[in-house]
Amino acid sequence: MKNSIGIKPENLAKVAEVLSKTLADEFVLYTKTRKAHWNVEGSDFYNKHLFFEAQYQQLEEIIDVLAERIRTLGHYAPATLREYLELTHLSESHLESNDSLTYMKELLSDHDSIIIHLRENIENFAEEFKDAGTSDYITGLMETHEKMAWMLRSHLK
């Protein structure tokens, strides 16, 4: 059934396209955070194992809500690893060390990258695509990533 929520179909398609790329970024970051959770080693293993678990659980929730936002706008969410790797601007993890600081630096870099991407699109959603709801949603998402990045950054001091 056609989506009639006061946003032009072509704008809905553009919003869904940007959100699909964001979903891919979130899924790649989720996977990398899971990897850190599973593979971290060192004297701080237990604390960092729990820390990474809390972070991937947040990302899991973000992924679900983001995919549902895409569906709310009348489009299908990407849901294969191939699609995610084609859409993401993040790279897969190829770390040479399994210590917590190495994982944290990489994850922090990815959070910062997502924050920049989200910030760049806030006004586009509201002004260009006339979608204040998505603009508001990604503002909140950006704030969540800022807090997650702060937690990582605090460990690195």
Side-chain angles (χ1 to χ4, degrees), residues 4 8 17 22 26 32-33 41 43 53 58 72 75 82 87 101 112 117 134 139:
S4 300
K8 295 178 183 176
E17 179 182 339
T22 304
E26 299 289 357
K32 290 168 81 169
T33 306
E41 297 176 321
S43 60
E53 181 176 16
Q58 277 187 277
T72 299
H75 289 266
R82 180 177 304 207
L87 291 168
L101 294 179
D112 286 346
H117 173 73
T134 299
T139 299

Side-chain angles (χ1 to χ4, degrees), residues 68-85:
E68 289 174 355
R69 179 71 191 163
I70 294 167
R71 292 296 295 134
T72 299
L73 298 176
H75 289 266
Y76 292 102
T80 68
L81 298 176
R82 180 177 304 207
E83 288 174 302
Y84 292 145
L85 290 174

Side-chain angles (χ1 to χ4, degrees), residues 5-140:
I5 58 173
I7 302 172
K8 295 178 183 176
E10 59 270 17
N11 286 352
L12 288 172
K14 290 175 185 174
V15 170
E17 179 182 339
V18 174
L19 291 180
S20 292
K21 291 177 182 179
T22 304
L23 178 60
D25 290 344
E26 299 289 357
F27 195 87
V28 169
L29 180 56
Y30 166 81
T31 302
K32 290 168 81 169
T33 306
R34 272 278 194 176
K35 178 181 178 179
H37 169 73
W38 287 330
N39 294 308
V40 67
E41 297 176 321
S43 60
D44 60 349
F45 162 77
Y46 186 72
N47 288 332
K48 296 309 181 276
H49 180 75
L50 295 177
F51 175 80
F52 291 133
E53 181 176 16
Q55 289 228 329
Y56 81 66
Q57 287 173 342
Q58 277 187 277
L59 292 166
E60 188 172 41
E61 177 68 21
I62 287 168
I63 289 166
D64 188 56
V65 173
L66 185 52
E68 289 174 355
R69 179 71 191 163
I70 294 167
R71 292 296 295 134
T72 299
L73 298 176
H75 289 266
Y76 292 102
T80 68
L81 298 176
R82 180 177 304 207
E83 288 174 302
Y84 292 145
L85 290 174
E86 289 172 358
L87 291 168
T88 189
H89 75 279
L90 303 179
S91 63
E92 288 190 276
S93 179
H94 300 289
L95 301 177
E96 295 181 21
S97 176
N98 287 323
D99 65 280
S100 63
L101 294 179
T102 301
Y103 281 119
M104 289 185 162
K105 287 176 186 174
E106 182 177 28
L107 295 174
L108 175 59
S109 176
D110 288 348
H111 279 281
D112 286 346
S113 180
I114 289 172
I115 291 165
I116 290 166
H117 173 73
L118 293 171
R119 183 172 279 116
E120 289 172 347
N121 281 289
I122 291 170
E123 287 187 34
N124 290 345
F125 287 132
E127 301 300 322
E128 184 178 343
F129 304 133
K130 308 299 184 211
D131 185 353
T134 299
S135 179
D136 182 59
Y137 168 70
I138 68 160
T139 299

Side-chain angles (χ1 to χ4, degrees), residues 139-152:
T139 299
L141 180 56
M142 180 190 66
E143 292 168 351
T144 299
H145 277 285
E146 288 173 336
K147 185 170 183 179
M148 293 176 80
W150 164 58
M151 295 287 180
L152 288 162

